[in-house]
Amino acid sequence: MGGGRGDGAGGGGGGGGDREKVEVPVKVEGAPPAGGASSSSGPKAEQSPAQEQGQASYKQPRRRGNVVRASQLNARAENLRERVKADKYDVDAWEALISELNPAAGSGRQQSSTRIRAPLETLKELYSEFLGVFPTSSAGWMGILEVEMSRGDQQGVNGAFGQCLLSVKSLDLWRVYIKHVKTTNRSDTPDGLSAIKQAYEFTLDHLGTDISSGPLWMEYVMFLQHSNAGVMFGETAPGNEESSKLVAIRRAFQRAVTIPTHSLESLWREYEKFENGVNRQLAKQILNDLQGQYATSRTIYRELKKKWEGISVNLLATPPGTKASQYKQQKLWTKLIAFEKSNPLKLEKEPLGVRIELVYNQCLLCLHHFPEIWYEYTTWHAGNGDHARASEVFTKACSALPACTMLHFAAADFEAAQDKIEEAKAIYEGLLSRIDKLEPNTQGQIWIQYMRFLRRTEGASASRKLFLRARKSEGCSHHIYSTSALLEWQNGKDVKVAKNIFELGLKSFLKETEYVLEYARFLISQGDISNARILYERALTVVQGDDARIIWSEFLKFEYQCGDLQSTLALEKRRKEALVEMMDDAAAEELQKHPQFNIGLLLLRYNVSNMLPCSEATLRHLQALNVQEAFYDLPKVSREEAKPTQSAPPQDSNGKTGADGLPNVISELISKLPPRHRMSGPLPTHEEVDSVIQVVSSLDFKALKAAQAAQGSGGRKRGAAAMDDRRSNRGRKSDATNMPPKYDVYRMRQQRQRTIK
């Protein structure tokens, strides 16, 4: 079902070629009536009394393969069904399952011709399930159309066309539609010939600007050329039938040769042949007048062809992230859309809009689950002043992505901007009607955005009524309370009501740190210092663990800003005791032995908007002490950002040192070691670590390298003798092991350890 862009559009799997022609017109709402213009409304199948009478004469085509009962299907199909149940977007499993149950739909028709096919009812159910997951798949719609045609169900065929035709702008699918119209209408009657002509024109109005529509244009021209002029143009004045036919053919050719398609040059040659066959003298003038537009189209085609390279128009639409190729396709589609928007053909507004709309439609067949494409599509319509069409696209976007609430919010705002308040409210109410199917965070967002919307559009009363509904809803979060309270304060300046709502929320969300801090910030902004202090104390009686640490730190910051020195010192002592109690005895005892616990208090006390009361060098030193282990979050300063100090630190033998005085190699190694608290097993003592660092630091690296270089040069031999010498020395110890004791790091370390002991 995947595949790249082809040179032409195939006939698809319509399966209607074996059907006898009967006088059963196909009517799809949106198809232009004789002499009328097409409508942009959605398609809807209609059935006339003549269709109902013709049901009996609508014969079934020959069925390919053998048909078996559902109970006879093999185990492979059942395994594939289990796969798609486990992951409904498993494209490979779906394609294999369809190929298993309907071999004719597989990639290898000759290889699968002897395989048995599932019953039509099973296939219809399968394609219905498939389209429920991939509603934009032209292959899926062609499959279900084939099933309906095989059953001889004319009403089912029309219904399927009515559902998919205008929503799936696929050349393959629309050519199945034309083929169906041709097989169900007699071409030797005025009504039948008119229906076929309208089907061609309806299709070309919607897909005639596609880069692969050239074969369709040629097919339409040939249809006109081989049609009976008296039958097709019988309504014209007697004797003018042939003239009307020539005009229709010329008009079709002239439209076709000004559209960049893969068949542009062949269409131009056919048009030249046609005009020269009518009148050579007149042909020269007509062709010269059209030569400029044709040349422009041919030039643009070369650029357009490059933009289409790599695009897979039949790619099944899956949610973002399920396939790596999706983002490559999105990039290609984005470039193509931008190219079309640049209007390289210098078209007027209406024909340009037709081209861009078709590209957006085809893009969304593949990127159906990408919200940014939908939103860009709507804003393009809105930017062109077509608000009605933008609203339609928003509706489709919300239907395609029911869980993407931001598109719904954007749609509601768009309607409100057009003073359609009721339509906007309907969008929010639609979300609330299925809120239990959405994620918890998303549920809260719906209530919050709806409250804000009502506050803007209908005032405080409507927003408060919605807040009462939200309170009674299942899964009401603390965000709803804080939002409602802040709306009262920010918009209505009603501090009392806001405080009452916050207090009401505390009955359920006192343990929610985020809610407590939001309320505390509100009280502090109002200068209500005493109640803010009481709020912190209330929260500390119920919160535990990391939440308690956060509350303690925020409480202490509050005291630093609003309290006096005595209250600050008392709170620091309480905080230290509380944090120690949260730890096990061993960890608490270990923590209090080190200075970072107390120095961290100074950092917290004198920190103002992350302006730390120390230099960067001191900060790096405190980071080395793991001050954050004492529940203080420090800014990260990389060693590369360190500025050179005034006094040069001690250098190693290579002249390269770190900010801590150690050689850069050692400093880098130490920086990469994990913190001590994260290491498991026995840990080395400080003395052992210091001894290793001292031994390594005392090495004369320049002398070591010089000795190695001298040994290397002294050991070289040239010619065959050198080769023989190297062969004879295989298996011996390396030169490094023969290094003088002065440079033997292992022996030096052993000697150092013995000295320490």
Side-chain angles (χ1 to χ4, degrees):
M1 294 183 185
R5 191 75 178 180
D7 230 23
D18 300 314
R19 208 169 272 106
E20 293 182 355
K21 295 182 180 180
V22 294
E23 294 188 54
V24 184
V26 175
K27 296 182 180 179
V28 178
E29 187 176 328
S38 62
S39 169
S40 62
S41 59
K44 182 179 179 182
E46 296 180 357
Q47 193 171 18
S48 65
Q51 288 175 309
E52 297 176 359
Q53 295 174 5
Q55 287 286 349
S57 61
Y58 194 89
K59 296 183 179 180
Q60 295 186 12
R62 289 182 290 104
R63 297 185 181 181
R64 302 179 213 140
N66 300 318
V67 180
V68 294
R69 296 179 181 177
S71 58
Q72 295 176 287
L73 296 178
N74 56 22
R76 174 176 165 79
E78 293 302 323
N79 292 335
L80 290 170
R81 282 191 178 276
E82 292 299 323
R83 282 180 59 184
V84 298
K85 285 181 181 179
D87 179 11
K88 67 178 183 178
Y89 292 110
D90 189 340
V91 173
D92 295 334
W94 273 114
E95 292 179 342
L97 179 60
I98 291 175
S99 178
E100 191 72 23
L101 299 182
N102 187 16
S107 58
R109 290 180 179 270
Q110 295 179 353
Q111 299 176 2
S112 63
S113 59
T114 59
R115 291 166 56 188
I116 49 183
R117 187 177 69 166
L120 293 178
E121 289 300 326
T122 302
L123 288 178
K124 182 177 180 180
E125 179 182 352
L126 172 65
Y127 280 116
S128 297
E129 293 176 1
F130 177 78
L131 289 172
V133 180
F134 305 104
T136 61
S137 170
S138 60
W141 283 108
M142 288 189 291
I144 205 166
L145 283 166
E146 180 184 5
V147 171
E148 296 292 4
M149 291 175 182
S150 299
R151 298 172 66 204
D153 187 355
Q154 172 71 359
Q155 186 174 0
V157 172
N158 288 346
F161 275 126
Q163 292 180 61
C164 70
L165 209 56
L166 288 183
S167 60
V168 181
K169 298 291 183 69
S170 165
L171 273 171
D172 293 343
L173 178 62
W174 281 65
R175 295 193 71 172
V176 171
Y177 162 67
I178 291 176
K179 187 175 182 180
H180 174 68
V181 174
K182 291 171 70 175
T183 57
T184 53
N185 289 274
R186 295 178 56 176
S187 60
D188 57 351
T189 63
D191 290 342
L193 202 59
S194 176
I196 297 172
K197 182 174 179 291
Q198 288 184 49
Y200 271 116
E201 292 176 350
F202 182 51
T203 302
L204 290 170
D205 285 343
H206 286 85
L207 286 93
T209 61
D210 190 287
I211 195 172
S212 296
S213 64
L216 185 61
W217 281 105
M218 186 67 73
E219 185 180 324
Y220 176 49
V221 170
M222 292 178 63
F223 161 75
L224 293 175
Q225 289 176 332
H226 293 89
S227 297
N228 188 314
V231 177
M232 180 177 290
F233 301 99
E235 297 179 357
T236 61
N240 292 335
E241 294 87 352
E242 288 296 334
S243 177
S244 299
K245 178 179 177 178
L246 290 177
V247 171
I249 296 172
R250 180 176 287 118
R251 183 184 299 115
F253 263 128
Q254 290 181 353
R255 287 182 62 190
V257 297
T258 57
I259 298 173
T261 64
H262 296 306
S263 307
L264 180 60
E265 293 185 3
S266 60
L267 280 166
W268 178 257
R269 288 193 298 268
E270 290 296 325
Y271 181 43
E272 286 181 321
K273 187 186 300 183
F274 165 74
E275 289 291 0
N276 287 321
V278 175
N279 188 322
R280 282 188 172 273
Q281 293 181 351
L282 182 62
K284 185 175 182 181
Q285 179 181 352
I286 294 175
L287 293 173
N288 285 339
D289 292 342
L290 201 61
Q291 181 71 38
Q293 296 183 51
Y294 163 69
T296 301
S297 298
R298 189 172 56 180
T299 302
I300 299 304
Y301 165 71
R302 298 190 187 99
E303 294 296 323
L304 195 60
K305 183 181 178 182
K306 296 177 183 177
K307 296 294 186 295
W308 274 103
E309 289 178 357
I311 291 179
S312 299
V313 293
N314 294 322
L315 189 72
L316 292 179
T318 55
T322 54
K323 279 194 172 184
S325 60
Q326 289 176 315
Y327 296 103
K328 180 180 178 181
Q329 288 292 308
Q330 183 186 21
K331 186 177 181 180
L332 293 174
W333 278 111
T334 301
K335 290 182 178 179
L336 176 61
I337 292 172
F339 180 74
E340 290 288 0
K341 286 183 176 180
S342 68
N343 193 12
L345 291 169
K346 308 303 178 185
L347 301 173
E348 298 294 331
K349 181 178 180 180
E350 185 174 349
L352 175 63
V354 171
R355 289 190 63 88
I356 297 175
E357 175 131 6
L358 176 60
V359 178
Y360 267 121
N361 273 275
Q362 292 176 328
C363 171
L364 287 168
L365 296 184
C366 308
L367 305 179
H368 190 65
H369 299 275
F370 284 62
E372 64 273 23
I373 304 296
W374 283 106
Y375 187 65
E376 183 184 338
Y377 188 18
T378 57
T379 53
W380 171 72
H381 275 301
N384 288 336
D386 193 348
H387 300 298
R389 184 67 182 133
S391 180
E392 291 178 13
V393 175
F394 261 128
T395 301
K396 291 181 180 179
C398 294
S399 177
L401 302 174
C404 186
T405 51
M406 63 180 176
L407 278 180
H408 293 72
F409 300 153
D413 286 343
F414 177 79
E415 297 294 347
Q418 314 306 316
D419 294 328
K420 297 180 180 179
I421 305 302
E422 293 303 319
E423 287 82 349
K425 290 173 63 177
I427 295 174
Y428 282 109
E429 292 295 337
L431 286 172
L432 292 179
S433 66
R434 52 184 180 83
I435 194 171
D436 56 327
K437 300 179 182 179
L438 302 175
E439 298 177 358
N441 289 340
T442 304
Q443 295 178 13
Q445 271 281 4
I446 295 171
W447 290 110
I448 289 172
Q449 297 300 330
Y450 198 7
M451 282 193 297
R452 290 176 175 172
F453 169 78
L454 290 178
R455 186 81 188 205
R456 292 193 305 266
T457 57
E458 298 185 2
S461 178
S463 180
R464 291 171 183 173
K465 288 179 181 179
L466 183 64
F467 171 62
L468 294 178
R469 286 175 58 189
R471 282 183 55 202
K472 299 176 182 178
S473 65
E474 185 177 354
C476 176
S477 66
H478 64 84
H479 306 88
I480 296 174
Y481 282 85
S482 59
T483 299
S484 179
L486 293 176
L487 281 175
E488 297 293 341
W489 171 45
Q490 294 167 348
N491 295 279
K493 306 302 179 183
D494 197 331
V495 178
K496 182 178 180 181
V497 174
K499 189 180 295 185
N500 290 340
I501 294 174
F502 269 122
E503 288 293 332
L504 188 63
L506 283 180
K507 296 179 180 179
S508 303
F509 303 111
L510 184 58
K511 293 184 179 181
E512 293 288 344
T513 303
E514 184 180 351
Y515 183 73
V516 171
L517 297 181
E518 187 73 41
Y519 186 18
R521 284 191 290 268
F522 168 75
L523 292 173
I524 295 171
S525 68
Q526 301 302 311
D528 196 346
I529 305 303
S530 58
N531 279 325
R533 186 176 285 110
I534 293 172
L535 176 62
Y536 282 120
E537 296 287 0
R538 290 171 62 186
L540 287 172
T541 61
V542 295
V543 296
Q544 298 177 351
D546 291 337
D547 290 338
R549 294 186 179 98
I550 295 173
I551 295 294
W552 273 114
S553 296
E554 294 299 322
F555 191 10
L556 198 54
K557 292 177 184 177
F558 163 77
E559 283 295 340
Y560 289 151
Q561 294 178 4
C562 305
D564 54 28
L565 181 59
Q566 296 303 321
S567 64
T568 297
L569 295 175
L571 190 61
E572 285 180 348
K573 181 179 179 181
R574 288 177 55 198
R575 177 183 179 276
K576 179 178 180 180
E577 294 172 352
L579 295 181
V580 170
E581 289 178 1
M582 295 179 193
M583 308 173 67
D584 57 75
D585 295 340
E589 183 179 357
E590 178 68 19
L591 180 64
Q592 293 188 83
K593 288 181 179 178
H594 298 284
Q596 67 263 34
F597 194 94
N598 293 324
I599 196 68
L601 281 173
L602 296 183
L603 287 173
L604 191 63
R605 183 189 301 176
Y606 303 120
N607 178 31
V608 178
S609 300
N610 290 327
M611 296 169 57
L612 291 174
C614 62
S615 64
E616 290 185 0
T618 303
L619 178 59
R620 285 190 294 273
H621 165 67
L622 296 178
Q623 287 175 334
L625 292 177
N626 288 330
V627 174
Q628 60 267 25
E629 293 302 311
F631 323 115
Y632 305 98
D633 295 327
L634 301 182
K636 301 299 180 184
V637 177
S638 63
R639 297 184 183 277
E640 288 76 7
E641 296 175 352
K643 298 179 180 179
T645 55
Q646 295 296 330
S647 58
Q651 296 184 346
D652 63 6
S653 57
N654 295 324
K656 298 179 180 179
T657 62
D660 45 15
L662 296 174
N664 280 342
V665 177
I666 299 178
S667 297
E668 184 178 359
L669 174 64
I670 294 175
S671 67
K672 292 180 179 179
L673 293 176
R676 185 171 181 176
H677 71 283
R678 295 182 182 176
M679 299 176 65
S680 58
L683 300 175
T685 63
H686 291 294
E687 291 78 8
E688 292 173 341
V689 175
D690 291 340
S691 65
V692 172
I693 293 177
Q694 289 177 10
V695 170
V696 177
S697 301
S698 63
L699 291 176
D700 189 346
F701 288 99
K702 284 187 176 181
L704 178 61
K705 288 184 178 180
Q708 290 176 339
Q711 288 184 353
S713 61
R716 291 194 192 95
K717 293 186 170 75
R718 293 180 174 84
M723 182 68 69
D724 294 337
D725 185 65
R726 282 194 292 271
R727 290 197 187 100
S728 63
N729 287 334
R730 285 178 182 172
R732 298 182 182 179
K733 295 182 180 180
S734 64
D735 292 340
T737 58
N738 297 325
M739 191 183 304
K742 177 180 178 181
Y743 305 110
D744 193 333
V745 178
Y746 176 74
R747 293 179 183 178
M748 294 175 66
R749 185 172 61 186
Q750 282 187 326
Q751 183 178 2
R752 178 67 179 176
Q753 289 178 348
R754 285 195 296 269
T755 303
I756 294 174
K757 292 179 180 180

